[in-house]
Short mmCIF file of all heavy atoms in Angstrom, two decimals:
data_model
loop_
_atom_site.label_atom_id
_atom_site.label_comp_id
_atom_site.label_asym_id
_atom_site.label_seq_id
_atom_site.Cartn_x
_atom_site.Cartn_y
_atom_site.Cartn_z
N ASP A 1 8.78 5.93 4.46
CA ASP A 1 8.07 5.41 5.63
C ASP A 1 6.66 5.09 5.24
O ASP A 1 5.73 5.99 5.40
CB ASP A 1 8.15 6.45 6.73
CG ASP A 1 7.47 5.95 8.07
OD1 ASP A 1 7.11 4.80 8.12
OD2 ASP A 1 7.26 6.84 8.90
N LEU A 2 6.35 3.89 4.83
CA LEU A 2 4.97 3.55 4.38
C LEU A 2 4.02 3.49 5.51
O LEU A 2 2.80 3.48 5.28
CB LEU A 2 5.01 2.14 3.66
CG LEU A 2 5.91 2.08 2.38
CD1 LEU A 2 5.88 0.71 1.82
CD2 LEU A 2 5.44 3.11 1.38
N LYS A 3 4.46 3.60 6.76
CA LYS A 3 3.57 3.67 7.92
C LYS A 3 2.76 4.94 7.92
O LYS A 3 1.81 5.03 8.81
CB LYS A 3 4.42 3.40 9.18
CG LYS A 3 4.95 2.01 9.35
CD LYS A 3 5.65 1.75 10.64
CE LYS A 3 6.78 2.61 10.95
NZ LYS A 3 7.97 2.49 10.12
N GLN A 4 3.06 5.86 7.14
CA GLN A 4 2.31 7.14 7.07
C GLN A 4 0.92 6.88 6.47
O GLN A 4 -0.01 7.66 6.56
CB GLN A 4 3.05 8.21 6.26
CG GLN A 4 4.25 8.69 6.93
CD GLN A 4 4.94 9.83 6.19
OE1 GLN A 4 4.31 10.78 5.77
NE2 GLN A 4 6.19 9.68 5.91
N LEU A 5 0.78 5.73 5.71
CA LEU A 5 -0.51 5.36 5.19
C LEU A 5 -1.41 4.89 6.34
O LEU A 5 -0.99 4.18 7.17
CB LEU A 5 -0.38 4.21 4.16
CG LEU A 5 0.31 4.54 2.86
CD1 LEU A 5 0.61 3.29 2.11
CD2 LEU A 5 -0.47 5.59 2.01
N SER A 6 -2.68 5.32 6.32
CA SER A 6 -3.62 4.90 7.32
C SER A 6 -3.74 3.40 7.30
O SER A 6 -3.94 2.81 6.28
CB SER A 6 -4.97 5.54 7.05
OG SER A 6 -5.91 5.05 7.95
N GLY A 7 -3.58 2.79 8.46
CA GLY A 7 -3.75 1.31 8.59
C GLY A 7 -2.48 0.46 8.33
O GLY A 7 -2.51 -0.65 8.45
N VAL A 8 -1.41 1.20 8.01
CA VAL A 8 -0.12 0.51 7.84
C VAL A 8 0.71 0.67 9.06
O VAL A 8 1.13 1.74 9.41
CB VAL A 8 0.58 0.97 6.53
CG1 VAL A 8 1.93 0.27 6.40
CG2 VAL A 8 -0.27 0.72 5.33
N GLY A 9 0.99 -0.49 9.69
CA GLY A 9 1.89 -0.51 10.75
C GLY A 9 3.20 -1.18 10.42
O GLY A 9 3.38 -1.50 9.24
N PRO A 10 4.04 -1.46 11.38
CA PRO A 10 5.35 -2.13 11.08
C PRO A 10 5.22 -3.45 10.39
O PRO A 10 6.02 -3.78 9.46
CB PRO A 10 5.98 -2.34 12.51
CG PRO A 10 5.27 -1.29 13.36
CD PRO A 10 3.92 -1.12 12.84
N VAL A 11 4.23 -4.26 10.73
CA VAL A 11 4.05 -5.63 10.12
C VAL A 11 3.62 -5.44 8.67
O VAL A 11 4.24 -6.12 7.74
CB VAL A 11 3.04 -6.42 10.92
CG1 VAL A 11 2.79 -7.73 10.18
CG2 VAL A 11 3.54 -6.74 12.28
N LEU A 12 2.75 -4.61 8.40
CA LEU A 12 2.30 -4.48 6.98
C LEU A 12 3.39 -3.80 6.13
O LEU A 12 3.56 -4.16 5.05
CB LEU A 12 0.97 -3.61 6.88
CG LEU A 12 -0.24 -4.38 7.37
CD1 LEU A 12 -1.53 -3.50 7.08
CD2 LEU A 12 -0.47 -5.67 6.58
N GLU A 13 4.08 -2.83 6.76
CA GLU A 13 5.16 -2.21 6.04
C GLU A 13 6.20 -3.22 5.62
O GLU A 13 6.73 -3.26 4.48
CB GLU A 13 5.81 -1.09 6.92
CG GLU A 13 6.90 -0.34 6.15
CD GLU A 13 7.57 0.73 6.96
OE1 GLU A 13 7.89 0.39 8.16
OE2 GLU A 13 7.71 1.82 6.45
N LYS A 14 6.49 -4.19 6.61
CA LYS A 14 7.53 -5.23 6.29
C LYS A 14 7.02 -6.10 5.08
O LYS A 14 7.81 -6.44 4.19
CB LYS A 14 7.74 -6.03 7.53
CG LYS A 14 8.77 -7.06 7.42
CD LYS A 14 9.12 -7.78 8.74
CE LYS A 14 10.33 -8.71 8.55
NZ LYS A 14 10.00 -10.06 8.54
N LYS A 15 5.72 -6.43 5.12
CA LYS A 15 5.15 -7.21 4.05
C LYS A 15 5.22 -6.54 2.72
O LYS A 15 5.60 -7.12 1.71
CB LYS A 15 3.71 -7.56 4.28
CG LYS A 15 3.42 -8.65 5.28
CD LYS A 15 1.97 -8.99 5.37
CE LYS A 15 1.66 -10.16 6.29
NZ LYS A 15 0.25 -10.48 6.23
N LEU A 16 4.96 -5.25 2.74
CA LEU A 16 5.07 -4.45 1.47
C LEU A 16 6.53 -4.37 0.94
O LEU A 16 6.80 -4.59 -0.20
CB LEU A 16 4.50 -3.06 1.70
CG LEU A 16 3.01 -2.97 1.84
CD1 LEU A 16 2.55 -1.56 2.38
CD2 LEU A 16 2.31 -3.16 0.45
N HIS A 17 7.45 -4.10 1.89
CA HIS A 17 8.83 -4.08 1.54
C HIS A 17 9.33 -5.45 0.93
O HIS A 17 10.02 -5.43 -0.08
CB HIS A 17 9.74 -3.73 2.72
CG HIS A 17 9.67 -2.29 3.10
ND1 HIS A 17 10.29 -1.77 4.18
CD2 HIS A 17 9.08 -1.25 2.50
CE1 HIS A 17 10.04 -0.46 4.28
NE2 HIS A 17 9.35 -0.13 3.24
N GLU A 18 8.87 -6.54 1.55
CA GLU A 18 9.23 -7.86 1.07
C GLU A 18 8.64 -8.11 -0.31
O GLU A 18 9.23 -8.92 -1.10
CB GLU A 18 8.74 -8.91 2.04
CG GLU A 18 9.59 -8.93 3.31
CD GLU A 18 9.00 -9.86 4.40
OE1 GLU A 18 7.89 -10.40 4.21
OE2 GLU A 18 9.71 -10.04 5.42
N ALA A 19 7.56 -7.42 -0.68
CA ALA A 19 6.96 -7.57 -1.96
C ALA A 19 7.54 -6.60 -2.97
O ALA A 19 7.09 -6.49 -4.10
CB ALA A 19 5.44 -7.46 -1.85
N GLY A 20 8.54 -5.83 -2.52
CA GLY A 20 9.22 -4.87 -3.44
C GLY A 20 8.61 -3.50 -3.48
O GLY A 20 8.96 -2.67 -4.32
N VAL A 21 7.69 -3.16 -2.55
CA VAL A 21 6.98 -1.91 -2.56
C VAL A 21 7.69 -1.09 -1.51
O VAL A 21 7.64 -1.38 -0.26
CB VAL A 21 5.51 -2.01 -2.21
CG1 VAL A 21 4.86 -0.66 -2.17
CG2 VAL A 21 4.80 -2.91 -3.29
N THR A 22 8.35 0.01 -1.91
CA THR A 22 9.11 0.81 -0.94
C THR A 22 8.82 2.25 -0.98
O THR A 22 9.40 3.09 -0.22
CB THR A 22 10.68 0.59 -1.17
OG1 THR A 22 10.96 1.00 -2.55
CG2 THR A 22 11.11 -0.81 -0.91
N SER A 23 7.94 2.73 -1.91
CA SER A 23 7.69 4.13 -2.01
C SER A 23 6.20 4.39 -2.23
O SER A 23 5.46 3.57 -2.71
CB SER A 23 8.42 4.78 -3.20
OG SER A 23 7.88 4.37 -4.46
N PHE A 24 5.78 5.63 -1.84
CA PHE A 24 4.42 6.07 -2.06
C PHE A 24 4.10 6.11 -3.54
O PHE A 24 3.01 5.82 -4.00
CB PHE A 24 4.16 7.45 -1.47
CG PHE A 24 4.28 7.44 0.04
CD1 PHE A 24 5.27 8.26 0.65
CD2 PHE A 24 3.61 6.57 0.83
CE1 PHE A 24 5.39 8.30 2.04
CE2 PHE A 24 3.71 6.49 2.25
CZ PHE A 24 4.61 7.41 2.83
N ALA A 25 5.13 6.53 -4.37
CA ALA A 25 4.88 6.63 -5.82
C ALA A 25 4.47 5.26 -6.44
O ALA A 25 3.63 5.26 -7.32
CB ALA A 25 6.20 7.13 -6.49
N GLN A 26 5.12 4.19 -5.89
CA GLN A 26 4.73 2.84 -6.41
C GLN A 26 3.22 2.58 -6.20
O GLN A 26 2.48 2.14 -7.05
CB GLN A 26 5.55 1.75 -5.79
CG GLN A 26 7.00 1.71 -6.35
CD GLN A 26 7.79 0.72 -5.48
OE1 GLN A 26 8.24 1.05 -4.39
NE2 GLN A 26 7.94 -0.44 -5.98
N ILE A 27 2.79 2.82 -4.94
CA ILE A 27 1.40 2.62 -4.57
C ILE A 27 0.45 3.54 -5.31
O ILE A 27 -0.58 3.14 -5.70
CB ILE A 27 1.23 2.74 -3.07
CG1 ILE A 27 2.07 1.71 -2.28
CG2 ILE A 27 -0.25 2.63 -2.60
CD1 ILE A 27 2.14 1.75 -0.79
N ALA A 28 0.88 4.78 -5.44
CA ALA A 28 0.06 5.78 -6.15
C ALA A 28 -0.20 5.35 -7.58
O ALA A 28 -1.25 5.70 -8.17
CB ALA A 28 0.77 7.17 -6.11
N ALA A 29 0.70 4.56 -8.14
CA ALA A 29 0.54 4.12 -9.59
C ALA A 29 -0.23 2.80 -9.68
O ALA A 29 -0.43 2.42 -10.83
CB ALA A 29 1.93 4.07 -10.19
N TRP A 30 -0.59 2.19 -8.61
CA TRP A 30 -1.28 0.93 -8.78
C TRP A 30 -2.56 1.04 -9.56
O TRP A 30 -3.38 1.97 -9.34
CB TRP A 30 -1.62 0.41 -7.34
CG TRP A 30 -0.49 -0.28 -6.63
CD1 TRP A 30 0.81 -0.45 -7.12
CD2 TRP A 30 -0.50 -0.76 -5.25
NE1 TRP A 30 1.55 -1.03 -6.10
CE2 TRP A 30 0.77 -1.31 -5.00
CE3 TRP A 30 -1.47 -0.87 -4.27
CZ2 TRP A 30 1.21 -1.79 -3.81
CZ3 TRP A 30 -1.13 -1.38 -3.04
CH2 TRP A 30 0.14 -1.89 -2.81
N THR A 31 -2.80 -0.02 -10.33
CA THR A 31 -4.05 -0.16 -11.11
C THR A 31 -5.01 -1.07 -10.31
O THR A 31 -4.54 -1.61 -9.28
CB THR A 31 -3.70 -0.77 -12.46
OG1 THR A 31 -3.25 -2.15 -12.22
CG2 THR A 31 -2.72 0.01 -13.29
N GLU A 32 -6.19 -1.20 -10.82
CA GLU A 32 -7.11 -2.16 -10.20
C GLU A 32 -6.48 -3.54 -10.12
O GLU A 32 -6.66 -4.25 -9.12
CB GLU A 32 -8.42 -2.19 -10.98
CG GLU A 32 -9.27 -0.92 -10.86
CD GLU A 32 -9.86 -0.69 -9.52
OE1 GLU A 32 -10.27 -1.67 -8.83
OE2 GLU A 32 -9.84 0.46 -9.04
N ALA A 33 -5.79 -3.96 -11.19
CA ALA A 33 -5.19 -5.23 -11.20
C ALA A 33 -4.08 -5.33 -10.12
O ALA A 33 -3.95 -6.42 -9.41
CB ALA A 33 -4.58 -5.57 -12.61
N ASP A 34 -3.27 -4.31 -10.00
CA ASP A 34 -2.25 -4.34 -8.97
C ASP A 34 -2.82 -4.44 -7.63
O ASP A 34 -2.34 -5.23 -6.73
CB ASP A 34 -1.38 -3.03 -9.03
CG ASP A 34 -0.64 -2.89 -10.30
OD1 ASP A 34 -0.13 -3.91 -10.83
OD2 ASP A 34 -0.51 -1.76 -10.74
N ILE A 35 -3.89 -3.71 -7.41
CA ILE A 35 -4.61 -3.71 -6.02
C ILE A 35 -5.09 -5.15 -5.76
O ILE A 35 -4.86 -5.64 -4.67
CB ILE A 35 -5.76 -2.67 -6.03
CG1 ILE A 35 -5.18 -1.26 -6.04
CG2 ILE A 35 -6.60 -2.92 -4.80
CD1 ILE A 35 -6.27 -0.20 -6.22
N ALA A 36 -5.78 -5.74 -6.75
CA ALA A 36 -6.24 -7.10 -6.56
C ALA A 36 -5.06 -8.06 -6.26
O ALA A 36 -5.16 -8.94 -5.43
CB ALA A 36 -7.01 -7.61 -7.79
N GLU A 37 -3.92 -7.96 -7.00
CA GLU A 37 -2.81 -8.84 -6.89
C GLU A 37 -2.23 -8.73 -5.44
O GLU A 37 -2.00 -9.68 -4.77
CB GLU A 37 -1.71 -8.48 -7.89
CG GLU A 37 -0.45 -9.20 -7.75
CD GLU A 37 0.69 -8.80 -8.61
OE1 GLU A 37 0.33 -8.06 -9.62
OE2 GLU A 37 1.86 -9.08 -8.31
N PHE A 38 -2.03 -7.42 -4.95
CA PHE A 38 -1.44 -7.30 -3.66
C PHE A 38 -2.38 -7.63 -2.53
O PHE A 38 -2.03 -8.19 -1.46
CB PHE A 38 -0.90 -5.85 -3.43
CG PHE A 38 0.48 -5.64 -4.11
CD1 PHE A 38 0.52 -5.04 -5.38
CD2 PHE A 38 1.63 -6.03 -3.46
CE1 PHE A 38 1.75 -4.82 -5.91
CE2 PHE A 38 2.86 -5.83 -4.04
CZ PHE A 38 2.93 -5.26 -5.30
N ASP A 39 -3.68 -7.40 -2.78
CA ASP A 39 -4.70 -7.81 -1.80
C ASP A 39 -4.66 -9.25 -1.59
O ASP A 39 -4.69 -9.74 -0.44
CB ASP A 39 -6.04 -7.30 -2.32
CG ASP A 39 -7.09 -7.24 -1.23
OD1 ASP A 39 -6.88 -6.62 -0.22
OD2 ASP A 39 -8.19 -7.85 -1.37
N GLU A 40 -4.57 -10.06 -2.67
CA GLU A 40 -4.56 -11.44 -2.60
C GLU A 40 -3.18 -11.96 -2.04
O GLU A 40 -3.18 -12.75 -1.17
CB GLU A 40 -4.75 -12.02 -4.06
CG GLU A 40 -4.71 -13.57 -4.09
CD GLU A 40 -5.91 -14.21 -3.50
OE1 GLU A 40 -7.02 -13.61 -3.39
OE2 GLU A 40 -5.78 -15.40 -3.03
N LYS A 41 -2.09 -11.48 -2.59
CA LYS A 41 -0.72 -11.90 -2.28
C LYS A 41 -0.44 -11.70 -0.81
O LYS A 41 0.18 -12.57 -0.14
CB LYS A 41 0.18 -11.18 -3.14
CG LYS A 41 1.69 -11.70 -2.91
CD LYS A 41 2.72 -11.31 -3.93
CE LYS A 41 2.52 -10.02 -4.71
NZ LYS A 41 3.62 -9.70 -5.58
N LEU A 42 -0.92 -10.51 -0.28
CA LEU A 42 -0.54 -10.22 1.11
C LEU A 42 -1.71 -10.32 2.07
O LEU A 42 -1.64 -9.90 3.19
CB LEU A 42 -0.01 -8.78 1.12
CG LEU A 42 1.21 -8.47 0.21
CD1 LEU A 42 1.61 -7.08 0.23
CD2 LEU A 42 2.38 -9.37 0.63
N SER A 43 -2.80 -10.93 1.64
CA SER A 43 -4.01 -11.23 2.47
C SER A 43 -4.46 -9.97 3.18
O SER A 43 -4.66 -9.95 4.41
CB SER A 43 -3.62 -12.30 3.52
OG SER A 43 -3.27 -13.46 2.91
N PHE A 44 -4.69 -8.85 2.42
CA PHE A 44 -5.19 -7.63 3.00
C PHE A 44 -6.62 -7.55 3.09
O PHE A 44 -7.19 -6.65 3.69
CB PHE A 44 -4.60 -6.46 2.14
CG PHE A 44 -3.11 -6.11 2.37
CD1 PHE A 44 -2.44 -5.35 1.45
CD2 PHE A 44 -2.47 -6.63 3.50
CE1 PHE A 44 -1.07 -5.08 1.61
CE2 PHE A 44 -1.06 -6.30 3.66
CZ PHE A 44 -0.43 -5.59 2.71
N HIS A 45 -7.39 -8.50 2.45
CA HIS A 45 -8.79 -8.55 2.63
C HIS A 45 -9.61 -7.23 2.31
O HIS A 45 -10.42 -6.78 3.05
CB HIS A 45 -9.21 -9.08 4.05
CG HIS A 45 -8.53 -10.33 4.39
ND1 HIS A 45 -8.82 -11.52 3.87
CD2 HIS A 45 -7.50 -10.56 5.32
CE1 HIS A 45 -8.04 -12.47 4.42
NE2 HIS A 45 -7.19 -11.89 5.22
N GLY A 46 -9.23 -6.62 1.18
CA GLY A 46 -9.89 -5.37 0.80
C GLY A 46 -9.37 -4.12 1.47
O GLY A 46 -9.90 -3.06 1.23
N ARG A 47 -8.43 -4.22 2.27
CA ARG A 47 -7.94 -3.12 3.09
C ARG A 47 -7.35 -1.95 2.23
O ARG A 47 -7.53 -0.79 2.57
CB ARG A 47 -6.82 -3.56 3.99
CG ARG A 47 -6.29 -2.59 4.88
CD ARG A 47 -5.26 -3.21 5.86
NE ARG A 47 -5.50 -2.68 7.20
CZ ARG A 47 -4.98 -3.19 8.26
NH1 ARG A 47 -4.39 -4.32 8.25
NH2 ARG A 47 -5.22 -2.57 9.42
N ILE A 48 -6.70 -2.28 1.13
CA ILE A 48 -6.14 -1.25 0.23
C ILE A 48 -7.19 -0.25 -0.22
O ILE A 48 -6.96 0.88 -0.12
CB ILE A 48 -5.43 -1.94 -0.99
CG1 ILE A 48 -4.28 -2.82 -0.44
CG2 ILE A 48 -4.95 -0.80 -1.96
CD1 ILE A 48 -3.69 -3.72 -1.57
N GLU A 49 -8.33 -0.84 -0.75
CA GLU A 49 -9.42 0.09 -1.25
C GLU A 49 -10.17 0.70 -0.05
O GLU A 49 -10.46 1.90 -0.08
CB GLU A 49 -10.34 -0.71 -2.15
CG GLU A 49 -9.62 -1.02 -3.44
CD GLU A 49 -10.61 -1.71 -4.40
OE1 GLU A 49 -11.15 -2.75 -3.94
OE2 GLU A 49 -10.68 -1.34 -5.58
N ARG A 50 -10.47 -0.09 0.93
CA ARG A 50 -11.22 0.41 2.07
C ARG A 50 -10.54 1.62 2.74
O ARG A 50 -11.19 2.53 3.14
CB ARG A 50 -11.39 -0.75 3.09
CG ARG A 50 -12.36 -0.49 4.20
CD ARG A 50 -12.68 -1.77 4.97
NE ARG A 50 -11.59 -2.41 5.53
CZ ARG A 50 -11.10 -3.61 5.19
NH1 ARG A 50 -11.72 -4.27 4.18
NH2 ARG A 50 -10.06 -4.15 5.65
N GLU A 51 -9.22 1.61 2.87
CA GLU A 51 -8.49 2.65 3.58
C GLU A 51 -7.93 3.68 2.59
O GLU A 51 -7.24 4.63 2.97
CB GLU A 51 -7.39 2.02 4.46
CG GLU A 51 -8.09 1.18 5.58
CD GLU A 51 -7.06 0.63 6.55
OE1 GLU A 51 -5.85 0.74 6.34
OE2 GLU A 51 -7.55 -0.03 7.51
N GLY A 52 -8.21 3.50 1.29
CA GLY A 52 -7.81 4.49 0.32
C GLY A 52 -6.28 4.72 0.17
O GLY A 52 -5.81 5.80 0.00
N TRP A 53 -5.57 3.59 0.17
CA TRP A 53 -4.07 3.74 0.10
C TRP A 53 -3.61 4.45 -1.12
O TRP A 53 -2.66 5.24 -1.05
CB TRP A 53 -3.48 2.32 0.21
CG TRP A 53 -3.53 1.70 1.54
CD1 TRP A 53 -4.12 2.13 2.65
CD2 TRP A 53 -2.88 0.49 1.85
NE1 TRP A 53 -3.94 1.24 3.66
CE2 TRP A 53 -3.17 0.23 3.22
CE3 TRP A 53 -2.11 -0.46 1.15
CZ2 TRP A 53 -2.68 -0.98 3.89
CZ3 TRP A 53 -1.69 -1.62 1.81
CH2 TRP A 53 -1.98 -1.82 3.17
N VAL A 54 -4.23 4.17 -2.32
CA VAL A 54 -3.81 4.78 -3.56
C VAL A 54 -3.87 6.33 -3.44
O VAL A 54 -3.03 7.01 -3.81
CB VAL A 54 -4.45 4.17 -4.79
CG1 VAL A 54 -4.13 4.86 -6.04
CG2 VAL A 54 -4.16 2.65 -4.91
N GLU A 55 -5.06 6.75 -3.02
CA GLU A 55 -5.24 8.22 -2.92
C GLU A 55 -4.33 8.84 -1.91
O GLU A 55 -3.73 9.95 -2.10
CB GLU A 55 -6.69 8.55 -2.56
CG GLU A 55 -7.68 8.40 -3.73
CD GLU A 55 -7.27 9.21 -4.90
OE1 GLU A 55 -6.91 10.41 -4.75
OE2 GLU A 55 -7.23 8.73 -6.02
N GLN A 56 -4.18 8.17 -0.78
CA GLN A 56 -3.23 8.62 0.31
C GLN A 56 -1.85 8.71 -0.26
O GLN A 56 -1.16 9.63 -0.06
CB GLN A 56 -3.28 7.71 1.49
CG GLN A 56 -4.47 7.79 2.39
CD GLN A 56 -4.27 6.88 3.55
OE1 GLN A 56 -3.32 7.03 4.37
NE2 GLN A 56 -5.17 5.89 3.69
N ALA A 57 -1.44 7.67 -0.97
CA ALA A 57 -0.06 7.60 -1.52
C ALA A 57 0.13 8.70 -2.58
O ALA A 57 1.27 9.24 -2.61
CB ALA A 57 0.10 6.29 -2.14
N LYS A 58 -0.81 9.03 -3.31
CA LYS A 58 -0.76 10.14 -4.25
C LYS A 58 -0.39 11.42 -3.56
O LYS A 58 0.44 12.18 -3.99
CB LYS A 58 -1.98 10.30 -5.12
CG LYS A 58 -2.15 9.21 -6.20
CD LYS A 58 -3.40 9.36 -6.95
CE LYS A 58 -3.57 8.14 -7.95
NZ LYS A 58 -4.88 8.26 -8.61
N GLN A 59 -1.12 11.72 -2.45
CA GLN A 59 -0.88 12.90 -1.71
C GLN A 59 0.51 12.92 -1.05
O GLN A 59 1.21 13.89 -1.08
CB GLN A 59 -1.98 13.05 -0.59
CG GLN A 59 -3.37 13.37 -1.19
CD GLN A 59 -3.42 14.55 -2.04
OE1 GLN A 59 -2.92 15.59 -1.76
NE2 GLN A 59 -3.98 14.40 -3.21
N LEU A 60 0.81 11.73 -0.46
CA LEU A 60 2.17 11.61 0.23
C LEU A 60 3.27 11.69 -0.76
O LEU A 60 4.39 12.24 -0.46
CB LEU A 60 2.26 10.35 1.03
CG LEU A 60 1.32 10.34 2.24
CD1 LEU A 60 1.09 8.98 2.77
CD2 LEU A 60 1.88 11.24 3.37
N ALA A 61 3.18 11.17 -1.95
CA ALA A 61 4.16 11.13 -2.98
C ALA A 61 4.55 12.58 -3.43
O ALA A 61 5.67 12.88 -3.77
CB ALA A 61 3.78 10.33 -4.20
N LYS A 62 3.51 13.46 -3.35
CA LYS A 62 3.79 14.82 -3.77
C LYS A 62 4.75 15.56 -2.77
O LYS A 62 5.51 16.43 -3.19
CB LYS A 62 2.43 15.68 -3.74
CG LYS A 62 1.49 15.29 -4.90
CD LYS A 62 0.25 16.10 -4.80
CE LYS A 62 -0.77 15.64 -5.86
NZ LYS A 62 -2.06 16.32 -5.67
N GLY A 63 4.68 15.06 -1.56
CA GLY A 63 5.58 15.70 -0.55
C GLY A 63 6.87 14.87 -0.36
O GLY A 63 7.69 15.28 0.51
N GLU A 64 7.09 13.79 -1.09
CA GLU A 64 8.29 13.00 -0.91
C GLU A 64 9.54 13.78 -1.28
O GLU A 64 9.54 14.54 -2.16
CB GLU A 64 8.23 11.76 -1.73
CG GLU A 64 7.68 10.58 -1.02
CD GLU A 64 7.85 9.27 -1.80
OE1 GLU A 64 7.93 9.31 -3.00
OE2 GLU A 64 7.71 8.16 -1.14
#
């Protein structure tokens, strides 16, 4: 349930799933290049870094 990430609702979750992102572990492992790629590809306008998705995903992945 990627909606556990702050700022991710049903629409963004669907976009992430369509891009092949289905787990917190995947987001937790994103590099700067990955963040830039998804930011551009999904038109997130800096949201990934601003809302700290990678850090949130690392915490959530521990509890998966």
Side-chain angles (χ1 to χ4, degrees):
D1 181 11
L2 297 178
K3 293 185 299 292
Q4 290 182 54
L5 292 169
S6 174
V8 176
V11 173
L12 287 184
E13 183 180 47
K14 184 173 189 255
K15 282 186 176 185
L16 287 165
H17 285 173
E18 288 171 352
V21 180
T22 58
S23 74
F24 296 123
Q26 286 172 281
I27 296 171
W30 280 357
T31 63
E32 290 291 322
D34 294 325
I35 291 170
E37 175 188 339
F38 280 98
D39 198 53
E40 178 71 26
K41 184 169 25 177
L42 303 176
S43 301
F44 286 161
H45 309 289
R47 184 175 219 162
I48 297 168
E49 288 181 312
R50 189 169 56 249
E51 296 182 356
W53 287 5
V54 174
E55 283 306 312
Q56 287 183 61
K58 286 177 183 175
Q59 293 303 313
L60 290 164
K62 290 178 185 174
E64 266 189 339

